Amino acid sequence: MDIIDDLKYRGLINQVSDEEGLREALKKPITFYCGFDPTANSLHAGNLLMIVIMMRLQKAGHHPIALVGGGTGMIGDPSGRSTERQLNTKEVVEGYAESLKNQLDRFLHFDQGNATFVNNAEWLNSLSAIEFLRDVGKYFTLNYMLSKDSVQTRLEAGISFTEFSYMLLQAYDYLNLYELKNCRMQMGGSDQWGNITAGLELIRKRGHEEQAFALTFPLITKSDGTKFGKSMGGAIWLDSEKTTPYEWYQFWYNASDDDVINFLKYFTFLSKSEIEALANEVESHPEARKAQKTLAREMTVLVHGEAALKQAEHISQALFSGDISQLNGEEIRQGFKDVPTYQASSKDSVKLIDLIVEAGIVPSKRQAREDITNGAIYVNGSRRNDLDEVLTQNDRIDNEYMVIRRGKKKYTLIQF
């Protein structure tokens, strides 16, 4: 199937300005772009959909331009927001833009000739207000701008002229890339349709004859109505320091049966036949979670690599079996990132009964004695029921960590 049919099969086309025209244009390599606003120093799971679609088009022979909005990021896009965005300083935006460039390079490989990185600060920061009003603003009526969803949804609560002008700046980005790099398609989430089509309007009104295109994909929601890309701890980031590879693996592994096949279509490069086989597994053997395991593996390799996948699977297996002692220090840091942590003294030995009281694992020595006697206390996955037990450096993992479990699920990380 061609790239449009593949995107349709995967549910990745929401709107397209001229489907037949785009199909014809895509018979030869074209240049296209997608924008990312630098609002943080890392992209997140929601942004990954845009990256993967860019990679699909790249694999089909087309030329992606990844645009980071170092200029527009100084203003803020009103799309999908109910309130004004908090503005960052120029230095913060520049730092975020550089971080995003490095992340995008891991997927699109800018130094290999087929993909290009641009920062719209290159042309927007030197654009004067008079130039902007004459060369861009005069081509748009207020009625046209007010008709866009991104503006209409903000009218009642109020929208500043700053955010109101964002649409025109994005339109200018498209015109600039069209003229300088022969970029003929802009893609983005469905909430970007108004901004993208404003670019088409500007290209047309500036007298360009070669057709340009707009393509959007649907914004992802989970079957239970919760927002995609969020967990109990907040956003799921591509940066391994913000979201560890283990957390990333678990995010995908915990996809529901109702979501997992759609996620396989959206985010992986598995073929239609491979995805359909996994859909049959969900129907016939849901308890095996084969589709979820495949999704978690594919996504972890894509974002963090093979070594990180092996580490994430090792942590998962150890936590499932309860044998914590097989983990190393780095795996402990990942697997127990969000559990309560107690900073213990570095002395060579400590009585178990004293440690679990000091760490707040039990409220009193009486309760400690009762729990140890009843076999409810585990150290690194091993049950300890000796009231006189003394823990030494031999009980520490990498001489730094000890994991104490009370009952079935209450974990505490002891750090020395």
Side-chain angles (χ1 to χ4, degrees), residues 155-336:
L155 287 178
E156 186 173 339
I159 181 172
S160 69
F161 178 75
T162 299
E163 289 198 357
F164 184 61
S165 66
Y166 185 98
M167 180 194 309
L168 303 190
L169 293 174
Q170 186 168 326
Y172 184 69
D173 286 344
Y174 197 174
L175 174 68
N176 197 57
L177 293 176
Y178 178 94
E179 293 180 338
L180 296 180
K181 298 185 179 295
N182 194 30
C183 177
R184 296 187 56 206
M185 181 175 74
Q186 182 184 173
M187 49 176 267
S190 58
D191 61 340
Q192 291 294 309
W193 181 251
N195 293 338
I196 297 174
T197 52
L200 295 183
E201 185 77 357
L202 182 59
I203 290 169
R204 182 183 66 82
K205 288 188 173 181
R206 288 286 287 261
H208 294 290
E209 294 183 359
E210 190 172 33
Q211 188 176 7
F213 301 94
L215 184 148
T216 64
F217 44 85
L219 299 179
I220 300 176
T221 56
K222 290 160 60 172
S223 58
D224 62 3
T226 58
K227 190 172 183 179
F228 172 80
K230 298 281 187 179
S231 72
M232 293 290 287
I236 303 298
W237 301 97
L238 272 58
D239 185 334
S240 61
E241 294 298 317
K242 296 166 81 75
T243 298
T244 67
Y246 168 72
E247 291 173 309
W248 179 261
Y249 177 91
Q250 287 295 316
F251 170 74
W252 299 100
Y253 181 79
N254 289 324
S256 72
D257 289 346
D258 292 331
D259 288 323
V260 65
I261 298 304
N262 281 336
F263 290 173
L264 286 165
K265 290 179 180 179
Y266 296 159
F267 291 101
T268 77
F269 293 90
L270 297 181
S271 66
K272 181 179 179 180
S273 59
E274 289 172 317
I275 292 172
E276 289 176 347
L278 289 167
N280 289 333
E281 288 289 334
V282 172
E283 289 292 325
S284 57
H285 304 290
E287 72 286 350
R289 298 186 69 77
K290 186 174 181 180
Q292 282 87 346
K293 289 176 185 176
T294 302
L295 177 65
R297 288 170 181 163
E298 292 287 324
M299 301 315 300
T300 305
V301 169
L302 176 67
V303 174
H304 297 294
E306 290 280 357
L309 169 63
K310 290 179 181 178
Q311 189 176 60
E313 290 183 323
H314 186 224
I315 297 170
S316 299
Q317 190 277 329
L319 293 181
F320 179 77
S321 67
D323 185 8
I324 309 300
S325 61
Q326 65 179 285
L327 299 177
N328 60 36
E330 171 57 29
E331 291 168 335
I332 290 291
R333 280 190 289 274
Q334 287 196 43
F336 294 91

